[in-house]
Amino acid sequence: MAKGEGAESGSAAGLLPTGILPAAERPAQVKKEPKKKQQLSICNKLCYAVGGAPYQVTGCALGFFLQIYLLDVAQVDPFSASIILFVGRAWDAFTDPLVGFCISKSSWTRLGRLMPWIIFSTPLAIIAYFLIWFVPDFPQGQALWYLLFYCLFETLVTCFHVPYSALTMFISTEQSERDSATAYRMTVEVLGTVLGTAIQGQIVGQVDTPCLQDPKDSSLATEGANRTQSTTSLKETQNAYLLAAGVIASIYVVCAVILTLGVREQREPYETQQAEPMSFFRGLRLVMSHGPYVKLIAGFLFTSLAFMLVEGNFALFCTYTLGFRNEFQNLLLAIMLSATFTIPVWQWFLTRFGKKTAVYIGISSAVPFLILVAFMESNLIVTYVVAVAAGISVAAAFLLPWSMLPDVIDDFHLKQPQSHGTEPIFFSFYVFFTKFASGVSLGISTLSLDFAGYQTRGCSQPERVKFTLKMLVTIAPIALILLGLLLFKLYPIDEEKRRQNKKALQALREEASSSGCSDTDSTELASIL
């Protein structure tokens, strides 16, 4: 009973708890009206979805362009570039559970528990992002500069993205509403990758990045002439990267403002009754022993790795193996546009046929096209067709992990009803494993290019480098996708299980609401007496 509702004055019995009255004098139990579903407006969903764009816009720009920027624009040697990429990603992975721990210890404020992290990390993150794309005047310390600001930015963007991801559980208690909001979010996030690709690619693509016809030429005169001719062009390329960074940083700020103004955090009814929050390490132990979660992250770990390998090496693959130096940014745009338009289709598909079926069909559809890329000759038209087709699979890889993670958390809450505040742990450790593995893969792939004889700023590369890039973009991702799908067969939450969990959670919430009402009535009675 809500405070003040149904309080009849004039009867002494009305002031006493019904449990101590004779059965004949007990008032008739008022039937609770069924609780209305928490419907989110389209505006709410859009504001929530827009918050996912900053992470994807910046992540896409860094994922596709940082490697080639370090090697050919900042002119960092391949070994140092591999260290920057590996340590940056590994540090990024480490900060996810660290931020998750800090969030789990955060108190609820007027803005919520998650929103303050998003608000205060944004201005620092955009400064760090801009400095990643700045070439300092001290060549000897360049590697340290990029490592420092790459790690700093990844820390700050984690302070944005981990609470934003966990916000999925706090915008509504309805599975259908969360799934719908997640579909909006994934559509905007893929659109964010399109923006990141388009802004970074098209701005940088307007400038010809200079290359050396023979980087190993021992003639100092020839090398000096080459460097003199390319100095102006190289400076223009550096300025283009800075301009792109400024535009992307502006988008980051706008999206953060829209998210903050348009979304409100909600607490679960049963969470407010918990007397003492669970410790982080006990929560971590429970989360990592939850079977469906372990199986979900194991399956998506390998499939995500596959797409990250393609992402990290795609620019170099198009430039040197396929020979499309001036087309790779347009190919990236084709992939991301295809993915954006396909997200609503996958949302309908998973609603109609189930999420596990969508995983098998969506992610495995990339395999035939990767095989085609591995064996085909350099053909621009065929490459565009493959890029558009690959975008369909990319859309599934974007949507499904984030759509399925709330189902795992619901299942966990049913098995551990007193374990609240663990949502950031679920989201942060899912991202941790993915990022750490991607850091290892990117570091190894850049080292592989070094061992194959990659020539910095070379207009062409040795055959061994071209072959290595082909393996990194085709054969390795295919093996990882197949392994991930094999592991995913062990994932136990199908559509029937989801429906059962939904009914059980609804009953738990109604029981918690009733208990909350009884507690309120008892408090009122004590104050009256």
Side-chain angles (χ1 to χ4, degrees):
M1 191 191 316
K3 185 173 182 178
E5 265 185 33
E8 273 92 12
S9 58
S11 170
L15 296 176
L16 297 175
T18 57
I20 64 174
L21 293 175
E25 296 182 29
R26 292 180 190 172
Q29 195 76 319
V30 180
K31 241 187 174 181
K32 283 191 79 171
E33 292 183 8
K35 195 175 181 181
K36 289 184 179 179
K37 289 187 176 182
Q38 290 183 329
Q39 296 287 344
L40 295 174
S41 68
I42 293 178
C43 181
N44 290 143
K45 293 177 185 177
L46 285 174
C47 290
Y48 166 72
V50 164
Y55 180 77
Q56 295 300 337
V57 171
T58 56
C60 183
L62 290 169
F64 280 119
F65 292 91
L66 184 58
Q67 186 183 48
I68 196 169
Y69 168 80
L70 291 174
L71 293 173
D72 288 354
V73 180
Q75 300 178 45
V76 177
D77 65 272
F79 179 77
S80 297
S82 69
I83 296 298
I84 293 169
L85 293 171
F86 168 69
V87 174
R89 286 293 181 102
W91 173 255
D92 184 21
F94 174 74
T95 57
D96 282 287
L98 182 63
V99 171
F101 170 77
C102 295
I103 292 173
S104 69
K105 294 297 182 183
S106 300
S107 302
W108 280 83
T109 67
R110 189 170 57 85
L111 296 173
R113 186 172 63 182
L114 305 174
M115 280 298 184
W117 288 83
I118 293 171
I119 294 168
F120 293 116
S121 66
T122 295
L124 298 174
I126 61 172
I127 294 171
Y129 179 78
F130 186 80
L131 292 175
I132 290 174
W133 303 103
F134 176 76
V135 180
D137 291 332
F138 38 89
Q140 297 302 320
Q142 276 189 350
L144 184 60
W145 171 280
Y146 291 116
L147 180 60
L148 173 64
F149 285 107
Y150 187 30
C151 290
L152 180 60
F153 171 73
E154 294 296 354
T155 302
L156 292 165
V157 81
T158 297
C159 292
F160 182 103
H161 192 249
V162 168
Y164 171 74
S165 300
L167 193 60
T168 307
M169 302 301 298
F170 297 98
I171 56 175
S172 176
T173 58
E174 290 294 323
Q175 282 185 357
S176 58
E177 290 298 296
R178 291 200 306 251
D179 286 347
S180 176
T182 300
Y184 275 80
R185 170 191 166 188
M186 290 301 109
T187 303
V188 174
E189 286 198 1
V190 176
L191 185 59
T193 65
V194 173
L195 279 174
T197 303
I199 293 168
Q200 191 86 10
Q202 298 303 316
I203 292 177
V204 172
Q206 298 302 314
V207 182
D208 292 329
T209 304
C211 61
L212 301 178
Q213 293 295 336
D214 187 5
K216 292 187 176 182
D217 192 344
S218 59
S219 170
L220 294 177
T222 303
E223 184 179 347
N226 283 338
R227 290 189 180 277
T228 301
Q229 292 170 4
S230 65
T231 299
T232 303
S233 183
L234 183 61
K235 190 64 179 174
E236 290 175 356
T237 304
Q238 293 170 357
N239 291 336
Y241 274 97
L242 283 177
L243 175 60
V247 175
I248 288 175
S250 302
I251 293 174
Y252 194 121
V253 174
V254 171
C255 292
V257 170
I258 292 174
L259 171 67
T260 304
L261 296 179
V263 176
R264 181 184 175 189
E265 274 183 73
Q266 301 177 21
R267 300 179 76 172
E268 284 279 14
Y270 52 79
E271 184 183 355
T272 58
Q273 297 181 40
Q274 190 177 359
E276 194 173 323
M278 177 179 295
S279 71
F280 175 81
F281 292 104
R282 180 165 177 262
L284 176 60
R285 212 164 40 244
L286 289 172
V287 166
M288 297 311 297
S289 62
H290 188 56
Y293 180 64
V294 174
K295 291 164 186 172
L296 181 71
I297 61 176
F300 277 119
L301 172 65
F302 290 100
T303 54
S304 299
L305 265 179
F307 289 101
M308 287 178 183
L309 262 181
V310 175
E311 177 188 77
N313 294 283
F314 189 78
L316 292 173
F317 176 72
C318 289
T319 301
Y320 296 116
T321 303
L322 298 181
F324 303 140
R325 175 177 288 273
N326 298 320
E327 288 291 335
F328 77 85
Q329 66 269 15
N330 297 324
L331 289 166
L332 289 177
L333 193 57
I335 292 173
M336 295 309 169
L337 282 173
S338 172
T340 302
F341 292 129
T342 313
I343 283 280
V345 177
W346 284 119
Q347 175 62 19
W348 169 84
F349 188 92
L350 66 85
T351 304
R352 178 70 176 81
F353 299 103
K355 296 180 182 180
K356 286 188 72 170
T357 305
V359 168
Y360 294 134
I361 295 177
I363 295 180
S364 63
S365 64
V367 173
F369 301 107
L370 291 174
I371 293 174
L372 180 60
V373 169
F375 292 103
M376 75 176 187
E377 296 296 326
S378 179
N379 185 303
L380 186 58
I381 296 176
V382 175
T383 305
Y384 269 106
V385 172
V386 170
V388 172
I392 299 172
S393 189
V394 169
F398 262 94
L399 174 64
L400 290 164
W402 298 110
S403 178
M404 298 171 78
L405 201 49
D407 299 337
V408 171
I409 298 174
D410 284 343
D411 188 72
F412 177 81
H413 282 158
L414 284 174
K415 291 184 173 63
Q416 304 286 343
Q418 299 304 314
S419 305
H420 307 300
T422 54
E423 291 84 1
I425 300 176
F426 276 99
F427 285 94
S428 62
F429 269 86
Y430 172 76
V431 178
F432 166 78
F433 288 115
T434 304
K435 286 181 178 178
F436 184 80
S438 77
V440 172
S441 68
L442 277 178
I444 291 174
S445 65
T446 311
L447 275 179
S448 300
L449 294 176
D450 190 24
F451 293 144
Y454 182 86
Q455 298 175 2
T456 302
R457 292 182 61 198
C459 292
S460 62
Q461 297 293 338
E463 287 302 318
R464 284 194 306 168
V465 172
K466 296 178 182 179
F467 178 77
T468 301
L469 285 168
K470 181 172 286 192
M471 293 299 102
L472 292 172
V473 172
T474 57
I475 303 303
I478 289 172
L480 290 168
I481 286 173
L482 295 178
L483 180 58
L485 292 177
L486 186 63
L487 289 171
F488 195 78
K489 287 184 68 69
L490 304 173
Y491 178 69
I493 301 179
D494 54 15
E495 292 307 298
E496 180 60 31
K497 181 68 173 174
R498 285 184 73 231
R499 282 191 289 270
Q500 293 172 2
N501 286 352
K502 180 180 179 181
K503 291 179 182 177
L505 275 173
Q506 188 61 39
L508 182 64
R509 291 180 183 119
E510 289 174 359
E511 181 184 349
S513 298
S514 301
S515 174
C517 292
S518 300
D519 291 344
T520 302
D521 292 343
S522 300
T523 304
E524 289 178 348
L525 176 60
S527 64
I528 292 171
L529 294 176

